[in-house]
Amino acid sequence: MKKIINDPADILDEMLEGLAFAYEDLVERLPETTVIHRKVDHNDKVALVSGGGSGHEPAHAGFVGKGMLSAAVCGEVFTSPTPDQIFEAIKASDEGHGVFLIIKNYSGDVMNFDMAKDLAEMEDIPVEFVIVDDDVAVEDSTYTAGKRGIAGTVLVHKILGGAAEQGLTLAEVKELADKLIPNIKSIGVALKAATVPEVGKPGFELADDEIEFGVGIHGEPGYRREKIKPSKELAKELIERLKEEFQWKNGDQYAVLVNGMGGTPLMEQFVFMNDVRNLLAEEGLHIDFRKVGDYMTSIDMQGLSLTLVKLEDSRWLDYLNAPVTTISW
Amino acid sequence: MKKIINDPADILDEMLEGLAFAYEDLVERLPETTVIHRKVDHNDKVALVSGGGSGHEPAHAGFVGKGMLSAAVCGEVFTSPTPDQIFEAIKASDEGHGVFLIIKNYSGDVMNFDMAKDLAEMEDIPVEFVIVDDDVAVEDSTYTAGKRGIAGTVLVHKILGGAAEQGLTLAEVKELADKLIPNIKSIGVALKAATVPEVGKPGFELADDEIEFGVGIHGEPGYRREKIKPSKELAKELIERLKEEFQWKNGDQYAVLVNGMGGTPLMEQFVFMNDVRNLLAEEGLHIDFRKVGDYMTSIDMQGLSLTLVKLEDSRWLDYLNAPVTTISW
């Protein structure tokens, strides 16, 4: 393992210090916590809090700022943050209008965010939440009952962030989130597994000419391995899986995110986006919002995921396009 | 080689199509060219044009937009763009106040941008330029006489972009650029070489526990190979080399860029930034501007570079902080 780190046990602390220093105009690390909080004057609105294990940078701390998250709770690498840390984030974020939690569907996250919600409610902070399970690749997985939450989570941050910034109440944000989640679906392909620093070797092995469809962002197994194919064939496979789920029809409006997993150059992501564009045009879809880059990574995994959002409500597009002040959106 | 591409010969074209589609609100590809041009109403100012071989994404197209570049000329992978393409970018960008070229110091780029300058002057478009040679690692290199231009180029885009946006004349931008260049210095370290798609294998080999200091962004040789070390020791080596060059003193003001080479996760870049912070604090420097991420990559190279700018003039900091509308700043 070659990584630019010191003691693997210190990565979370050192990463948070480096991030808070680099972007001290935008965010701060709450003292003696693993919470990154935005530096924005309280503005009398519902606050959004997300988080999870580290290793998915820029998620979630990169999306803390005006118009998106109030705080991100950062666990150790690929490990859920503890309830007390999540509770700290909730307390720091509440502006008297309640806190909305955006949770990726991993058993540890779901349990710990739920416990933090209970702690907050004991202190009379109203809390609602949504569980993101956008990955259509497999049902049930290493750390998940049901479907996993992956890159679509970042679009949930953005859409709900836009809504909260517009002044929606906690109940209205919850209603929007519940409508949104079934309309966000993702699927990915991996070329090479991530190496967790504390482990020191890749989480699984793929042959030099082999890829795996549907791998999770912690290296959870996908649904098929085969030889590497051209980008346009990879795009076709992922789009066909998403089509089965959405059952779209000509003229439907969608948003698209091509998300790099950490070790995939932008060059490849743009080539893939070009193939996605051509295939979705053949399907007759209107693509009203697009984004390409590393948003929800898996340390140094090579691969990418494709997320589509069916824009059922025109306000969702407004929320996607609304300006924000964050490190990484 | 496992990459998400189609025919390697089509990468440039497909990448530009994907990029122009993904960010069609911000940029356009000039028809039948490899030029990415910003979609901004002409605003009666000096225009900045940069470019070079592809494989360094998001440089340079990611920095096209209001407040930075008017256009980026994109060559084939690691290959200088041709004079006619650069000339197209100049013609499309000129708003009657002349065009300023930002050129990385590679022999092919210098020659082709110079030829394009001649073509433009024959059509009465005033053109000035600066050659960026921020890499202090080695004198003369595979494709360069003198020092190479690397990640500091992105800060040149930003500072000169801020100046042009303020309405400086072409001569004033030139004067600023000439003052700025000696105050921008970079140096990098590589853990793993990039694989050029047309070549199909890494440009050089490093052992599983080996790193190389001073590698260029096309894999040009550095100045020393040795065993991998902790991040804080890597940071110490790079800072010591920069200190020799700058001869700084207590209280000097600097900007810092930690730049990932394409295959290095943000996690490691933030850990490294934390070490840089601690070491520069020991030196007594004031760090007034900071940035971390992939800005000038080398396809999938693992490694990073450190750039420091001595903020000789307080306006440089204003230009760095000025808002812009680009894909990747």
Side-chain angles (χ1 to χ4, degrees), chain A residues 2 4-6 14 17-18 21 23-24 191 207-208 210 230-232 268 270-271 274-275 277 290 292, chain B residues 2 4-6 14 17-18 21 23-24 191 207-208 210 230-232 268 271 274-275 277 290 292:
Chain A
K2 277 196 283 191
I4 299 170
I5 55 173
N6 297 299
E14 293 179 4
E17 288 298 302
F21 169 70
Y23 296 99
E24 67 180 25
L191 282 66
D208 280 350
E210 204 178 32
S231 169
K232 58 185 65 162
E268 297 175 39
F270 282 125
V271 166
N274 183 50
D275 292 318
R277 170 182 77 149
R290 302 151 292 271
V292 179
Chain B
K2 277 197 283 192
I4 299 170
I5 55 173
N6 297 298
E14 293 179 4
E17 287 299 302
F21 169 69
Y23 295 99
E24 66 181 25
L191 282 66
D208 279 350
E210 203 178 33
S231 169
K232 58 186 65 164
E268 297 175 39
V271 166
N274 183 51
D275 293 318
R277 171 183 76 149
R290 303 150 292 271
V292 178

